[in-house]
Amino acid sequence: MRPSFLDPLFAPVSTLPGIGPRTARHLVTLLGVDPSREPHVIDLLFHLPSGVIDRRLRPGIARAPEGAIVTLEVRIDRHQAPPRASRAPYRVFAHDDTGEIALVFFHAHQSWLDKTLPVGADMIVSGRVEWFNGRPQMVHPDHMVAAEEADTLPMMEPVYPLTQGLSGKTLQKALAVALDHIPEMPEWRDAEQARRLDWPGFREALLALHRPDPDDPGAEHAARARLAYDEFLANQLALALVRRSMRQTRGIARRFSGRLKAKILAALPFALTKGQADAVAAIEADLAAPERMLRLLQGDVGAGKTVVALLAAAAVVESGAQAVMMAPTEILARQHHASLAPLCEAAGIRLAILTGRDGARHKRETRAALEAGEIDIVVGTHALFQGDIALHDLGLAIVDEQHRFGVHQRLSLSAKGKGVDMLVMTATPIPRTLVLTFFGDMDVSRLTEKPAGRQPIKTVTVPNERMEEVIARLRAALDAGKKAYWVCPLVEESEKSDLAAAQARFEMLAGLLGPRVALVHGRQSSEEKTAAMSAFKDGPVSLLVATTVIEVGVDVPDATIIVIEHAERFGLSQLHQLRGRVGRGSEASTCLLLYKPPIGETARARLAIMRETNDGFRIAEEDLRLRGEGEILGTRQSGTPGFRIADTGTQGDLLETARNDARLILETDAELKGPRGPALRALLYLFSRDEAIRLLRAG
Ligand code: ADP
Ligand code: MG
């Protein structure tokens, strides 16, 4: 249970002055919180200023620099209303010892101005000064208060990112109250570190940022570091708890002799690369050890991750347990099934498939067989794990193309069995800091080399107007027996019209190139998709028009051409994934990026990078640079909460510190019951990582 001293921080924001239920709803997006609940006071406190306006400059009217923010003490002399029906502004003239200034208002109500700036009053005004024809003016001062209330004017004024329905003033008012009610917090930092790093406490850090002290300009940096560290520590502690509980709960030391592996290797038409062999060896060692495996297999598109996964599954099957392989799409699940089937058959492994689109009868029978232990490996989409599916003895869960899944799905999956080992596969070369923040201390295997004999893919960009030329060349290539993909973009906002565009493109190409053209898209039935895919893989179809359903993992090694229409609309990683559909065999491949001019700066940069390199790691880095981190991992789509304060880009060193501290904490106080325990538990609540608390033993 949450400690009660945190209650004021977990009150709904609508308990603050000026914030009603409507504003509270607007705040959900701004604060990036779980949309199913009203934001809490702490969420508002974590909404940090993006900058500070310094109002300390008080030069007097005559010496106010052009364009500067100044604070002036003036006496109001006269009001000058614009003539009726004129567009001219309302002017209020005021003076101090040095000169005269006009305060300028557009669309102002006279009665309000009379009340706010009464003639003869001494006022403090603060805002930006502009010199116009040699005369100073201030348009819509930011603050106007009577001279005797000077101390209510913020000399260092924080500025906040805002949203529709929320003004800066409302936010400041609510924050003022919230800041007065932050409880004293127990310190979760260890004493040694507190001595070494001169940071403020948690409460003091929030105060320093929301109420900047003009006399202590260095405070901001220390306060931000403190809060970022806290957020990293909460994150790393939670991940370490998850990882520890995954590892502790009855990991099973698998016993296998390599009998099935030998059969699979004998049936493969190629030898494993060194990277593949190393990855398999690491996985086998993990499986044989009594702890649970938690391993990430990274390998660029086409690097050959699937066979590594199969060999992992084979070891578990040989030990008498079952394995599941989860794919992000129906097509990919079917393809995995199709490519694994002959190898499984050669090894005598019983393989099945289960997806959301399967018929009720097939599902029922497959589920029953899984429960009875009559199936060794099951391939499926996430539908596989919905509902109360039971397995006889689940030993290994393999998740392909992890970046499509949220972290939560990953956790729920591992709950389906006892001591389940986990292998996560991704083609996205996630930078190390991101692996750390999202997966914690996962072991990582990398497939750095491509299988031997692969030719680089030649990439060219072509403006739309030259489509006829492209089609003519395509015809020649198809006539010569080549296979090609033609990708049409599918943008979510207007799925229907995009689908229509893909349909239209298919009809046009079929009209020109004949019956060797087929169409595949996400809205088709499973049968239609499977038919189109297998006609392309083994049958009469040599040009496959597709929406991005083919983006992830589709494997037709003798396809050597890919045309991507409206390439300017795709992100870099997506383009790289799509391009990875070719260049999978020993023949040279081509990627044609069709674009519709004019295109923007970023799109131009993306296309240039695609032309320049085939290196997935370099592309991921560029993507990170062009887009920011959240999107690379697909967290935007899956809604995984990221970081609110900490920035892995600029504060990566704090992440390392937090990671080491989290490890040390759990080594010395595994159940968080020691003297710092209550403080650390509070920390997990503050940063919404309290799910991890459930993993601590009760009591
Ligand atoms: P990805 O890593 O993108 O999932 P796949 O596992 O689909 O890649 O493999 C891509 C292609 O490379 C497949 O056709 C696969 O059969 C082939 N392949 C995998 N390993 C090797 C190897 N060692 N030598 C030659 N071809 C291989
Ligand atoms: Mg794959």
Side-chain angles (χ1 to χ4, degrees):
M1 257 223 334
R2 191 173 63 219
S4 59
F5 70 89
L6 292 178
D7 287 352
L9 297 177
F10 285 86
V13 279
S14 59
T15 56
L16 295 171
I19 298 197
R22 260 177 64 120
T23 318
R25 270 199 305 281
H26 285 309
L27 279 172
V28 166
T29 349
L30 181 69
L31 303 179
V33 299
D34 175 0
S36 67
R37 62 162 170 89
E38 182 173 311
H40 296 148
V41 171
I42 183 71
D43 299 317
L44 197 64
L45 288 168
F46 282 156
H47 188 56
L48 299 181
S50 51
V52 175
I53 300 178
D54 186 343
R55 303 193 179 280
R56 288 174 298 165
L57 190 61
R58 307 180 78 138
I61 292 172
R63 285 183 290 274
E66 158 72 26
I69 301 268
V70 299
T71 298
L72 303 170
E73 180 160 3
V74 298
R75 174 160 299 166
I76 306 300
D77 296 326
R78 62 192 167 91
H79 284 222
Q80 185 190 81
R84 221 173 261 288
S86 137
R87 293 269 197 87
Y90 192 106
R91 287 193 169 80
V92 175
F93 291 91
H95 77 275
D96 67 6
D97 293 345
T98 68
E100 186 181 55
I101 189 166
L103 309 175
V104 179
F105 300 87
F106 293 91
H107 312 292
H109 288 289
Q110 176 151 15
S111 57
W112 175 74
L113 283 167
D114 281 340
K115 214 166 69 206
T116 315
L117 298 170
V119 171
D122 290 322
M123 303 287 299
I124 310 274
V125 297
S126 185
R128 193 178 300 283
V129 168
E130 288 157 16
W131 287 80
F132 196 66
N133 289 336
R135 295 159 190 270
Q137 63 175 34
M138 187 182 283
V139 180
H140 290 266
D142 303 330
H143 294 276
M144 300 178 282
V145 298
E148 57 272 22
E149 287 165 23
D151 57 341
T152 64
L153 195 144
M155 281 298 132
M156 297 289 280
E157 185 180 23
V159 208
Y160 295 90
L162 295 173
T163 184
Q164 187 213 348
L166 179 80
S167 73
K169 291 232 158 76
T170 309
L171 187 64
Q172 308 248 15
K173 219 165 88 192
L175 269 172
V177 172
L179 286 164
D180 285 340
H181 291 88
I182 308 176
E184 269 309 330
M185 239 17 110
E187 181 55 88
W188 45 79
R189 289 208 293 159
D190 73 39
E192 207 289 303
Q193 194 205 61
R195 259 195 309 279
R196 204 162 30 87
L197 291 167
D198 187 19
W199 285 341
F202 177 79
R203 178 169 176 273
E204 288 67 38
L206 283 174
L207 287 169
L209 292 169
H210 288 292
R211 289 181 181 154
D213 177 355
D215 301 321
D216 190 0
E220 184 195 338
H221 185 77
R224 284 195 186 263
R226 161 78 208 220
L227 294 179
Y229 168 81
D230 288 345
E231 186 169 33
F232 279 138
L233 184 63
N235 164 264
Q236 289 299 299
L237 204 55
L239 285 170
L241 287 168
V242 169
R243 175 185 161 88
R244 198 193 47 159
S245 94
M246 279 179 140
R247 294 213 154 182
Q248 273 183 352
T249 43
R250 280 167 288 170
I252 296 170
R254 300 280 165 197
R255 301 181 155 272
F256 45 89
S257 64
R259 181 175 55 86
L260 296 181
K261 177 183 177 180
K263 287 190 184 170
I264 292 169
L265 291 181
L268 276 179
F270 49 75
L272 295 187
T273 63
K274 174 157 187 318
Q276 285 170 321
D278 289 349
V280 171
I283 291 167
E284 286 173 345
D286 288 350
L287 294 174
E291 292 88 29
R292 289 174 87 175
M293 172 170 82
L294 201 51
R295 185 171 284 275
L296 183 67
L297 177 62
Q298 290 188 344
D300 201 359
V301 285
K305 296 182 289 294
T306 319
V307 61
V308 175
L310 174 62
L311 291 169
V316 168
V317 169
E318 198 188 318
S319 80
Q322 295 165 299
V324 302
M325 188 187 285
M326 232 166 69
T329 64
E330 165 99 18
I331 286 200
L332 194 52
R334 298 210 173 276
Q335 174 193 296
H336 275 328
H337 181 256
S339 64
L340 297 184
L343 299 168
C344 286
E345 189 171 336
I349 295 173
R350 295 163 299 178
L351 177 73
I353 178 160
L354 193 61
T355 71
R357 300 265 172 100
D358 283 321
R361 175 148 165 231
H362 172 88
K363 275 191 205 158
R364 203 169 52 240
E365 288 173 2
T366 309
R367 281 163 173 252
L370 277 169
E371 191 160 359
E374 290 156 11
I375 290 171
D376 301 313
I377 301 180
V378 59
V379 179
T381 52
H382 65 275
L384 190 54
F385 279 88
Q386 278 159 1
D388 51 357
I389 182 163
L391 282 92
H392 178 67
D393 181 10
L394 177 59
L396 173 66
I398 301 164
V399 184
D400 194 7
E401 310 294 353
Q402 162 73 17
H403 61 292
R404 287 290 178 106
F405 293 102
V407 175
H408 297 304
Q409 276 157 304
R410 187 162 63 87
L411 292 178
S412 80
L413 201 148
S414 75
K416 288 282 176 188
K418 316 177 230 58
V420 180
D421 287 309
M422 292 272 303
L423 179 66
V424 175
M425 303 197 286
T426 175
T428 313
I430 313 166
R432 186 183 136 71
T433 48
L434 287 191
V435 172
L436 261 181
T437 53
F438 283 88
F439 305 110
D441 264 335
M442 239 180 172
D443 297 308
V444 179
S445 292
R446 290 206 172 83
L447 302 181
T448 44
E449 43 179 339
K450 293 260 167 90
R454 295 273 171 87
Q455 308 281 337
I457 304 166
K458 190 175 158 220
T459 300
V460 288
T461 49
V462 187
N464 237 357
E465 300 97 70
R466 285 170 51 199
M467 188 172 311
E468 259 180 55
E469 203 180 306
V470 169
I471 294 173
R473 292 222 194 162
L474 193 59
R475 178 199 298 279
L478 298 181
D479 287 345
K482 311 236 186 245
K483 283 188 188 175
Y485 296 99
W486 185 294
V487 183
C488 308
L490 190 60
V491 184
E492 236 175 293
E493 291 93 285
S494 57
E495 195 176 348
K496 268 210 189 110
S497 58
D498 281 316
L499 216 48
Q503 184 78 38
R505 179 65 69 229
F506 161 70
E507 274 156 25
M508 170 199 162
L509 290 168
L512 291 169
L513 302 169
R516 57 189 161 177
V517 186
L519 174 67
V520 61
H521 62 72
R523 287 291 183 85
Q524 283 167 329
S525 74
S526 208
E527 290 74 38
E528 285 173 304
K529 274 192 243 176
T530 313
M533 289 306 299
S534 65
F536 182 55
K537 202 167 171 130
D538 314 307
V541 167
S542 52
L543 178 64
L544 188 67
V545 180
T547 55
T548 49
V549 292
I550 67 150
E551 175 194 347
V552 181
V554 166
D555 185 37
V556 179
D558 59 348
T560 53
I561 300 169
I562 186 164
V563 180
I564 303 175
E565 242 189 282
H566 280 299
E568 78 279 2
R569 292 199 201 163
F570 291 101
L572 252 189
S573 291
Q574 214 178 0
L575 286 174
H576 183 61
Q577 285 278 342
L578 285 167
R579 179 171 62 182
R581 296 315 107 211
V582 299
R584 303 187 142 239
S586 50
E587 277 201 53
S589 296
T590 313
C591 170
L592 287 158
L593 302 175
L594 282 178
Y595 65 91
K596 186 162 186 259
I599 57 175
E601 277 297 304
T602 324
R604 188 176 303 280
R606 285 198 296 257
L607 297 185
I609 292 161
M610 287 297 291
R611 265 198 318 263
E612 240 168 68
T613 183
N614 269 304
D615 176 351
F617 205 87
R618 160 109 205 270
I619 287 175
E621 276 174 351
E622 296 287 348
D623 202 21
L624 198 63
R625 205 170 52 75
L626 291 174
R627 289 205 305 180
E629 301 173 347
E631 284 185 61
I632 287 214
L633 285 168
T635 50
R636 296 279 152 80
Q637 296 96 298
S638 65
T640 309
F643 290 86
R644 295 164 161 198
I645 294 170
D647 172 13
T648 49
T650 58
Q651 294 169 316
D653 52 329
L654 294 178
L655 174 60
E656 288 287 341
T657 311
R659 168 168 164 255
N660 293 332
D661 291 351
R663 189 186 296 155
L664 201 67
I665 288 166
L666 292 185
E667 268 169 24
T668 51
D669 180 15
E671 300 299 326
L672 301 186
K673 282 186 180 149
R676 277 162 76 208
L680 288 162
R681 285 168 193 249
L683 172 72
L684 291 171
Y685 278 106
L686 287 173
F687 287 96
S688 313
R689 300 298 201 282
D690 46 291
E691 268 178 61
I693 291 179
R694 284 189 287 110
L695 300 171
L696 296 168
R697 230 169 279 140

